Amino acid sequence: MPHTVKEKSALLARVRRIQGQAAALERALEQESDCSAVLQQIAAIRGAVNGLMAQVLEGHLRDHLGAEDRTPQERQEDLDQVISVLRSYLK
């Protein structure tokens, strides 16, 4: 995936933020924090993961499906792969 290499530092920064949010959620649960604080942290993690998914997906679509040097068969294979991943992600 060449787009992940190009955006490596940005993607890693997103992943590290998600790790920090997950650690904060774990602490909140261990400390028996208020339910609204826990729910807010879960929502923040979900938003961060969605942002990461969107960034990687956009790079993939641009580099693979939008590339002019791809054959129709390669584009179809990439499209099938993206559809499969999206179906799994949206379950």
Side-chain angles (χ1 to χ4, degrees), residues 55-69:
Q55 187 174 359
V56 173
L57 182 60
E58 179 181 347
H60 181 79
L61 292 174
R62 290 184 187 281
D63 285 356
H64 292 272
L65 297 178
E68 304 220 356
D69 62 341

Side-chain angles (χ1 to χ4, degrees), residues 9-20:
S9 61
L11 293 174
L12 287 173
R14 281 185 179 269
V15 169
R16 289 183 184 116
R17 279 194 297 277
I18 293 167
Q19 288 173 332

Side-chain angles (χ1 to χ4, degrees), residues 64-80:
H64 292 272
L65 297 178
E68 304 220 356
D69 62 341
R70 309 287 288 186
T71 68
Q73 181 179 350
E74 288 173 322
R75 286 183 187 195
Q76 185 61 49
E77 289 169 2
D78 285 335
L79 180 61
D80 291 343

